[in-house]
């Protein structure tokens, strides 16, 4: 689904990431770890084409990312649900409207019952009419997850979704992602939290990737 | 995008937050520019009418002035009239009597001028037919038959007047073009401000899969409709102001003047109605270009 072939990414002052080879298979569950500033977010942004590699080749859904038209990029992002580190909501719209936003911009009808069922799945039924600034950190992360999955995407990418929530909420979010993976979705989750990875390994077959010294490596069995 | 979607669809509008002062700026700019455009249009039409009238009226009349010793004036006048009545293109020629000459001089010398005691030249008024006459040929014939006759076909002072009126008309058209350009520039600035203020919203929309056309539509629709509304207000006020100007009173002093002639006549009153749709089109194009430029900067 997503295939990196000797990919590098540089900001101008040298490469932040280099020599990346990876193939994300459909239905897989990957964790991405690494120290702060190692390039995890940059790597994830390449996965939904917010950044382009400076070298190598990156194919997403069998398309070279450099060859995609702007409308093609929009179509790609409808097939990849992303939970951003800072959630990125439209503060003038309600939680329900924010969650339904991918459907709205795609010109698809929003089924009210389905939407409420999704909000119920992430435990936000009561907050449907609230505005994003009224939500707690955990609620924002769950709303972001609901928005990421509303289009029933093939891939779900989450960038530190448990970064600002307590352990109970982290486990709850992880449970939601594991459920999605069991439904056949490909999951790629960036986190610092090794305990979360250990808990996940008890529930689902995962592969752990680590960015170290600008390179992507398979993490050891000690996890 | 269908036209009905453009006016009725509100999805895209809803996802972009209200844009505060830029909305008011667009409305005010469009209203002011439309108001000015109505006057520029009226100026253009008024000068056009003036140029046509001067051109038409003066082009069909000419004067022969007989300056000769008193004992020869009568004979030379008759000779000149004889030449004129046999000249192709002259519909009518007649010598003005003393009272008519007095009336011509009255604005400068008053009503008590003793014209019969002054060595006044004799004037002959010529009215051309539709084909007109050959001025140079007529001059040569008059010189031969009446040496004191001087033909004045008014071209010396008619041409600069008509040229001036034509230039005023051009000025009106240039003013309209400048108003359209200034409107476009102001709306572009307002659109840029709105796009910059909503940079994070636009980025989020791109990240959840919105196409550029969807995002641009929200801004384009908003600005085009505001420009349309503002221009309608400005056009209405401009037309009301024109209607309240003193009307032309033909036949009185100043009846043919530029100031009293400023306005619309007949079907010309429909022309200002095109200003509002044109303002909307200018806003549509300006905002679309601004939105496309901004969106191209995003991945």
């Amino acid at each position: 689904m997503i295939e990196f072939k000797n990919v590098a990414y540089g900001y101008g002052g040298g490469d932040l990431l280099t020599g990346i080879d990876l193939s994300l298979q459909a239905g897989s569950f990957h964790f991405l770890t690494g120290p702060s500033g190692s390039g995890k977010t940059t790597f994830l942004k390449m996965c939904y084409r917010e950044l382009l590699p400076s070298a190598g080749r990156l194919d997403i859904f069998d398309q070279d990312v450099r060859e995609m038209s702007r409308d093609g990029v929009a179509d790609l992002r409808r097939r990849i649900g992303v939970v951003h580190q800072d959630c990125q909501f439209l503060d003038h719209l309600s939680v329900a409207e924010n969650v339904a936003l991918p459907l709205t911009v795609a010109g698809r009808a929003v089924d009210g019952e389905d939407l409420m069922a999704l909000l119920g799945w992430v435990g936000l039924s009561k907050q449907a009419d609230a505005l994003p600034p009224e939500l707690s950190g955990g609620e924002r992360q769950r709303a972001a997850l609901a928005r990421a999955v509303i289009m029933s995407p093939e891939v779900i990418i989450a960038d530190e979704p448990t970064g600002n929530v307590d352990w109970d909420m982290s486990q709850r979010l992880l449970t939601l992602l594991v459920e999605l993976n069991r439904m056949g979705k490909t999951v790629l989750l960036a986190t610092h939290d090794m305990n979360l990875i250990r808990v996940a390994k008890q529930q689902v077959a995962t592969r752990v990737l680590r960015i170290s010294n600008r390179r992507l490596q398979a993490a050891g069995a000690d996890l | 995008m269908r036209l009905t979607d453009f006016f009725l669809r509100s999805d895209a509008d809803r996802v972009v937050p209200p844009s505060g002062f830029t909305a008011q700026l667009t409305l005010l700019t469009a209203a002011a520019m439309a108001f000015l455009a109505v006057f520029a249009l009226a100026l253009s039409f008024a000068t056009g009418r003036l140029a046509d009238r001067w051109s038409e009226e003066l082009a069909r009349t000419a004067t022969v002035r007989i300056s000769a010793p008193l004992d020869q004036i009568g004979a030379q006048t008759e000779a000149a009239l004889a030449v004129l009545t046999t000249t192709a293109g002259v519909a009518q020629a007649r010598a003005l009597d003393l009272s008519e000459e007095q009336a011509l001089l009255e604005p400068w010398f008053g009503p008590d001028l003793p014209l019969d005691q002054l060595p006044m030249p004799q004037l002959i008024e010529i009215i051309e037919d539709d084909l007109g006459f050959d001025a140079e040929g007529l001059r040569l014939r008059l010189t031969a038959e009446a040496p004191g006759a001087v033909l004045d076909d008014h071209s010396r002072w008619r041409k600069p007047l008509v040229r001036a009126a034509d230039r005023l008309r051009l000025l009106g058209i240039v003013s309209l073009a400048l108003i359209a350009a200034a409107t476009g520039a102001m709306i572009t600035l307002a659109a840029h401000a709105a796009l910059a203020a909503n940079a994070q919203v636009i980025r989020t929309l791109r990240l959840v899969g919105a196409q550029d056309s969807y995002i641009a539509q929200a801004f384009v629709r908003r600005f085009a409709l505001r420009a349309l509304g503002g221009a309608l207000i400005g056009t209405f006020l401009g037309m009301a102001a024109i209607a309240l100007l003193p009307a032309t009173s033909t036949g009185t002093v100043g009846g043919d003047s530029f100031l009293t002639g400023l306005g619309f006549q007949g079907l010309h009153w429909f022309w200002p109605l095109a200003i509002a749709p044109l303002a909307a089109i200018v806003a549509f194009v300006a905002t679309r270009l601004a939105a496309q430029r901004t969106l191209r900067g995003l991945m």
Side-chain angles (χ1 to χ4, degrees):
Chain A
M1 303 196 99
I2 299 177
E3 193 160 7
F4 289 76
K5 291 176 187 164
N6 198 26
V7 165
Y9 184 84
Y11 281 104
D15 284 346
L16 177 66
L17 298 169
T18 187
I20 294 177
D21 287 294
L22 176 71
S23 180
L24 283 184
Q25 300 301 322
S28 62
F29 195 124
H30 285 79
F31 280 101
L32 179 65
T33 65
S36 292
S38 60
K40 295 192 295 295
T41 298
T42 299
F43 177 82
L44 294 183
K45 282 183 174 178
M46 284 196 284
C47 291
Y48 55 89
R49 206 203 177 264
E50 196 180 356
L51 293 175
L52 284 172
S54 48
R57 179 178 171 128
L58 171 57
D59 288 353
I60 303 177
F61 301 126
D62 299 322
Q63 290 181 78
D64 185 340
V65 290
R66 288 197 182 86
E67 304 295 321
M68 285 181 188
S69 65
R70 292 187 63 79
D71 283 353
V73 173
D75 290 340
L76 172 134
R77 288 174 183 165
R78 292 172 189 178
R79 298 173 69 184
I80 299 177
V82 182
V83 180
H84 300 276
Q85 208 167 2
D86 52 359
C87 295
Q88 299 193 359
F89 292 117
L90 303 186
D91 287 347
H92 64 290
L93 298 182
S94 70
V95 169
E97 286 171 317
N98 267 287
V99 168
L101 196 58
L103 290 172
T104 307
V105 301
R108 293 198 203 165
V110 179
D111 185 309
E113 283 185 17
D114 288 350
L115 180 59
M116 287 312 294
L118 179 59
L119 286 170
W121 180 67
V122 293
L124 290 174
S125 298
K126 291 178 182 170
Q127 286 84 359
D129 295 326
L131 294 175
E134 297 166 14
L135 299 182
S136 67
E139 288 170 338
R140 287 172 72 83
Q141 294 291 356
R142 281 182 281 149
L145 181 60
R147 186 180 67 184
V149 301
I150 196 165
M151 293 283 280
S152 193
E154 293 150 71
V155 179
I156 294 157
I157 294 173
D159 189 2
E160 302 276 6
T162 59
N164 297 313
V165 296
D166 59 29
W167 174 243
D168 286 344
M169 184 56 65
S170 296
Q171 284 189 301
R172 193 167 167 186
L173 284 166
L174 177 68
T175 303
L176 293 174
L177 288 166
V178 168
E179 277 182 45
L180 288 165
N181 180 246
R182 284 178 181 150
M183 290 177 203
K185 312 293 182 192
T186 305
V187 177
L188 175 58
L189 194 162
T191 185
H192 279 110
D193 192 339
M194 295 304 157
N195 287 331
L196 194 71
I197 297 173
R198 286 190 192 101
V199 171
K201 276 181 167 290
Q202 292 164 10
Q203 299 176 36
V204 68
T206 65
R207 190 177 167 198
V208 181
L209 307 168
R210 180 178 174 80
I211 296 178
S212 179
N213 295 325
R214 302 183 293 141
R215 291 182 176 277
L216 188 71
Q217 303 158 346
D222 58 320
L223 290 167
Chain B
M1 177 180 33
R2 289 181 307 170
L3 195 62
T4 48
D5 286 347
F6 181 78
F7 284 106
L8 301 176
R9 194 171 147 183
S10 59
D11 283 355
D13 241 10
R14 178 104 178 81
V15 298
V16 177
S19 34
F21 86 97
T22 56
Q24 292 158 10
L25 180 67
T26 306
L27 200 73
L28 185 69
T29 301
M33 291 301 181
F35 186 83
L36 294 175
V38 171
F39 276 89
L41 200 59
L43 169 77
S44 194
F45 278 130
T47 49
R49 281 195 302 271
L50 208 57
D52 291 344
R53 194 159 60 229
W54 285 344
S55 186
E56 188 181 338
E57 288 177 359
L58 297 176
R60 297 190 61 187
T61 62
T63 309
V64 172
R65 188 178 75 246
I66 314 263
S67 301
L70 278 174
D71 57 335
Q72 294 177 22
I73 276 196
Q76 288 204 24
T77 301
E78 281 184 21
L81 283 170
V83 168
L84 290 169
T85 50
T86 58
T87 300
V90 174
Q92 191 185 334
R94 67 178 187 88
L96 299 188
D97 60 28
L98 269 182
S99 63
E100 286 174 306
E101 290 197 2
Q102 180 114 30
L104 287 173
L105 293 171
E106 195 177 300
W108 287 275
F109 297 106
D112 302 325
L113 183 69
L115 211 59
D116 50 345
Q117 296 170 26
L118 294 172
M120 289 295 296
Q122 175 64 53
L123 297 179
I124 298 173
E125 183 190 66
I126 303 169
I127 297 175
E128 297 177 43
D129 62 18
D130 291 341
L131 298 173
F133 57 79
D134 169 18
E136 285 309 308
L138 181 57
R139 271 195 190 97
L140 289 172
R141 290 180 63 204
L142 285 171
T143 306
E145 303 293 329
V150 177
L151 174 67
D152 179 2
D153 63 357
H154 303 159
S155 60
R156 251 184 317 134
W157 58 280
R158 175 168 58 88
K159 282 180 183 169
L161 273 179
V162 172
R163 205 181 305 130
D166 280 339
R167 282 185 182 167
L168 270 175
R169 175 161 48 182
L170 183 66
L171 191 67
I173 293 167
V174 170
S175 300
L176 282 171
L178 286 175
I179 287 167
T183 306
M186 289 295 288
I187 291 172
T188 301
L189 281 176
H192 269 299
L195 288 160
N198 288 295
Q200 186 57 43
V201 170
I202 292 169
R203 184 169 174 265
T204 301
L205 290 173
R206 278 289 300 171
L207 289 176
V208 299
Q211 292 183 342
D212 286 353
S213 57
Y214 180 90
I215 300 168
Q217 185 199 337
F219 291 93
V220 169
R221 183 178 180 277
R222 185 173 291 186
F223 280 87
L225 290 181
R226 277 175 196 151
L228 180 67
L232 281 172
I233 294 169
T235 301
F236 173 76
L237 293 176
M239 289 175 74
I242 292 281
L244 292 174
L245 281 176
T248 303
S249 48
T250 309
T252 62
V253 174
D256 282 346
S257 82
F258 163 71
L259 285 175
T260 53
L262 185 65
F264 301 105
Q265 289 177 3
L267 291 176
H268 286 175
W269 278 103
F270 288 102
W271 278 77
L273 301 180
I275 290 173
L278 284 174
I281 291 170
V282 168
F284 180 92
V285 173
T287 314
R288 194 174 172 80
L289 290 175
Q292 284 174 344
R293 206 175 303 126
T294 300
L295 288 165
R296 271 199 298 270
L298 295 173
M299 288 293 282

